C-alpha cells in the first residue's frame, strides 16, 4: 500500500494493539510505587505539621538540601499561588500558554502524533510516540472534556458541537515520568487532573511549581487547539454514541485503518512550521519576523517602499532580533539605495 510507506517505523509501532493493557499495567505500577514511597511530603506537613526528623530533601533555592520549616511556608505559598492561577478551568490553549518553553520545544521536535484511540463518555484516550531517548515506544494521554455532557444534550449541529467541546475546558493525565514527578501535583491542586490524585508536593523535582504539561500532553493540546480533523470527527462519534447509549457504558474505538490515516495526516501537519507548539506571543513574534524578512528581500514588492523597509527593520530591532548598530546600518543602506534609484 502506497500510504503505508510514508509512516516511519517509530510511528507504525505505536499503531499496534495492546495500548490499553500497557496503560493499565503502567497505572498499576505507578500506584504501587507511590503507595510504597516513604519520602512523600503530605499536605498536612506542608501546612506546618512536619517532623524535621523525617529529613526530607528539597531543591528550593537551587541546591538539594534538607527541608526546613521556612521552606514549608514557601511551598505552601507556591501551592496557593498555583491553585489561584488555574481557577476557572483550563483549555488546550491555556495549557500551551502556561507550559515551559523547554517542554514546548521538546513537543515540537520529538512528538509527531497524538492519535485518539478510544472515547468513553467525556474521556478520550490518545496515544503519542515517545521521545528518541525513551525506553518505551508510546505514551498515553487521557483527556476529559468538561463540555461533553452539554454537547450531548444540545440541538446544535454536531460538527459545531465537537469544535466547541475541543475549545472548552478540560482535564488531562499522562503516563510518563515528567507528568508523574513534575506536573501531577499541579494538575491535582489546579483541578484539571484526569488521572489519580497526587497530594504529595514535588519538593525536589519542581518546588516552584513551574510549567504544567509534558511534551506528550503538549502535542495532544496542540492538535486539540487546532481542532484536528480526525480528533473532531472522533468527538462527533462520541457525542452520537452518548446520545444512543445514555449509560456512557460503551466506548468508541479507532480501527487500525483510522489510526493509520490519522497518523499520516498528523505527521504531515506537525512537520510543517505551523505544527510547532507555540504560545500566542511566540506565534505573533514569528509572524512579525516572517513578514519583516520577506519585505526586506530585494525582490519583494514591499521593498520598493523605503518606508516599509524602515518599519520592518524597526520591528526586528524592537523584538531584539537585530542590534541597534545593525538597525542603523540597515537604515543607512536603505536611504543610500533610495538615493541611487532616484538619481
Ligand atoms: Zn507525558
Amino acid at each position: 500500500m502506497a500510504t503505508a510507506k510514508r509512516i516511519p517505523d517509530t510511528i507504525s509501532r505505536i499503531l499496534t494493539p495492546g495500548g490499553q493493557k500497557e496503560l493499565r499495567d503502567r497505572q498499576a505500577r505507578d500506584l504501587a510505587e507511590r503507595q510504597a514511597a516513604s519520602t512523600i511530603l503530605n499536605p498536612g506537613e506542608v501546612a506546618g505539621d512536619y517532623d524535621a526528623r523525617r529529613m526530607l530533601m528539597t531543591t528550593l533555592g537551587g541546591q538539594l538540601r534538607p527541608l526546613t520549616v521556612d521552606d514549608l511556608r514557601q511551598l505552601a505559598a507556591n501551592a496557593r499561588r498555583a491553585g489561584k492561577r488555574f481557577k476557572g478551568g483550563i483549555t488546550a490553549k491555556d495549557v500551551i500558554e502556561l507550559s515551559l518553553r523547554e517542554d514546548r520545544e521538546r513537543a515540537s521536535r520529538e512528538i509527531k502524533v497524538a492519535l485518539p484511540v478510544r472515547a468513553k463518555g467525556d474521556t478520550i484516550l490518545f496515544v503519542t510516540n515517545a521521545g528518541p531517548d525513551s525506553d518505551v515506544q508510546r505514551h498515553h494521554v487521557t483527556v476529559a472534556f468538561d463540555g461533553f455532557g452539554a454537547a450531548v444534550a444540545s440541538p446544535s449541529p454536531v460538527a459545531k458541537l465537537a469544535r466547541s467541546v475541543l475549545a472548552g475546558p478540560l482535564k488531562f493525565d499522562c503516563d510518563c515520568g515528567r507528568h508523574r514527578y513534575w506536573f501531577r501535583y499541579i494538575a491535582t491542586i489546579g483541578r484539571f487532573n484526569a488521572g489519580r490524585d497526587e497530594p504529595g508536593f514535588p519538593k525536589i523535582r519542581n518546588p516552584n511549581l513551574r510549567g504544567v504539561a509534558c511534551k506528550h500532553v503538549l502535542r495532544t493540546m496542540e492538535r486539540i487547539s487546532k481542532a484536528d480533523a480526525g480528533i473532531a470527527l472522533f468527538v462527533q462519534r462520541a457525542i452520537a454514541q452518548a446520545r444512543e447509549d445514555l449509560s456512557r457504558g460503551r466506548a468508541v474505538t479507532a480501527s487500525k485503518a483510522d489510526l493509520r490515516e490519522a497518523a499520516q495526516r498528523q505527521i504531515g501537519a506537525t512537520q510543517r512550521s505551523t505544527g510547532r507548539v507555540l504560545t500566542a506571543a511566540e506565534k505573533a513574534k514569528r509572524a512579525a519576523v516572517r513578514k519583516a524578512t520577506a519585505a526586506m528581500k530585494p525582490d519583494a514588492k514591499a521593498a520598493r517602499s523605503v518606508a516599509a523597509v524602515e518599519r520592518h527593520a524597526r520591528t526586528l530591532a524592537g523584538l531584539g532580533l537585530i542590534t541597534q548598530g545593525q538597525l542603523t546600518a540597515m537604515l543607512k543602506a536603505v536611504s543610500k539605495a533610495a538615493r541611487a534609484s532616484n538619481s
Side-chain angles (χ1 to χ4, degrees):
M1 212 162 62
T3 51
K5 257 201 229 152
R6 282 189 286 149
I7 300 184
D9 284 353
T10 47
I11 307 296
S12 252
R13 276 198 289 271
I14 72 167
L15 305 178
T16 56
Q20 276 159 64
K21 181 174 184 311
E22 186 178 79
L23 174 60
R24 278 197 305 275
D25 290 349
R26 281 184 202 171
Q27 284 171 336
R29 199 168 55 237
D30 164 68
L31 187 61
E33 285 171 7
R34 175 63 175 80
Q35 281 167 338
S38 59
T39 56
I40 304 290
L41 180 66
N42 291 308
E45 294 176 306
V46 178
D49 188 16
Y50 175 67
D51 180 351
R53 281 172 302 186
R54 284 194 72 195
M55 287 294 287
L56 293 179
M57 308 292 277
T58 183
T59 58
L60 206 58
Q63 298 287 325
L64 185 67
R65 56 175 178 76
L67 193 70
T68 68
V69 173
D70 280 346
D71 292 337
L72 294 174
R73 268 183 230 117
Q74 179 66 49
L75 296 183
N78 291 352
R80 271 195 303 275
R81 205 170 46 239
K84 271 190 207 137
R85 203 183 335 154
F86 301 115
K87 235 171 142 191
I90 193 166
T91 65
K93 274 207 175 100
D94 296 334
V95 176
I96 294 172
E97 291 298 320
L98 295 163
S99 65
L100 298 177
R101 182 151 72 169
E102 66 221 55
D103 289 312
R104 289 196 296 281
E105 283 172 356
R106 284 186 203 126
S108 297
R109 216 172 33 237
E110 299 173 7
I111 310 302
K112 309 295 177 199
V113 295
L115 310 169
V117 293
R118 187 169 193 270
K120 199 167 175 191
D122 62 359
T123 302
I124 296 186
L125 178 65
F126 292 86
V127 64
T128 77
N129 62 298
D133 306 325
S134 180
D135 51 2
V136 298
Q137 292 180 342
R138 59 186 155 196
H139 281 288
H140 303 89
V141 175
T142 304
V143 183
F145 294 93
D146 293 358
F148 185 81
V152 170
S154 167
S156 301
V158 74
K160 193 175 157 201
L161 289 171
R163 278 198 303 277
S164 86
V165 166
L166 293 177
L170 45 76
K171 300 180 176 64
F172 63 83
D173 188 54
C174 182
D175 64 355
C176 76
R178 180 104 170 133
H179 183 75
R180 178 179 177 183
Y181 295 113
W182 272 260
F183 301 131
R184 187 172 277 143
Y185 174 81
I186 300 174
T188 306
I189 58 171
R191 283 173 290 176
F192 52 86
N193 168 36
R196 73 161 172 83
D197 283 340
E198 179 50 81
F201 198 103
K203 59 200 179 301
I204 294 176
R205 257 51 169 255
N206 195 4
N208 289 311
L209 306 180
R210 294 167 62 246
V212 66
C214 64
K215 59 189 173 186
H216 317 105
V217 166
L218 284 172
R219 172 55 74 200
T220 308
M221 295 301 152
E222 186 269 337
R223 291 287 89 205
I224 289 174
S225 69
K226 302 235 170 90
D228 175 278
I231 297 174
L233 203 63
F234 209 74
V235 173
Q236 289 184 34
R237 286 175 61 199
I239 291 171
Q241 170 76 276
R243 285 174 177 170
E244 293 279 308
D245 167 32
L246 301 176
S247 72
R248 293 191 182 182
R250 277 171 56 203
V252 172
T253 52
S255 69
K256 196 151 179 199
D258 292 340
L259 290 176
R260 287 204 84 82
E261 199 191 308
Q264 231 149 17
R265 208 171 20 74
Q266 287 197 21
I267 289 166
T270 58
Q271 258 168 0
R272 288 193 284 276
S273 69
T274 49
R276 292 179 55 108
V277 182
L278 299 171
T279 62
E282 286 165 345
K283 272 186 208 155
K285 189 168 168 175
R286 282 172 71 92
V289 171
R290 216 167 28 239
K291 215 172 136 192
T293 318
M296 285 167 60
K297 279 191 190 137
D299 59 335
K301 224 179 182 178
R304 287 186 204 133
S305 152
V306 173
V309 176
E310 277 188 20
R311 197 170 62 244
H312 289 307
R314 287 187 203 283
T315 304
L316 291 180
L319 290 166
L321 296 168
I322 56 173
T323 63
Q324 199 58 40
Q326 285 170 317
L327 173 64
T328 310
M330 220 176 251
L331 295 180
K332 237 185 221 163
V334 168
S335 63
K336 196 175 159 192
R339 274 199 307 276
S341 69
N342 286 341
S343 63

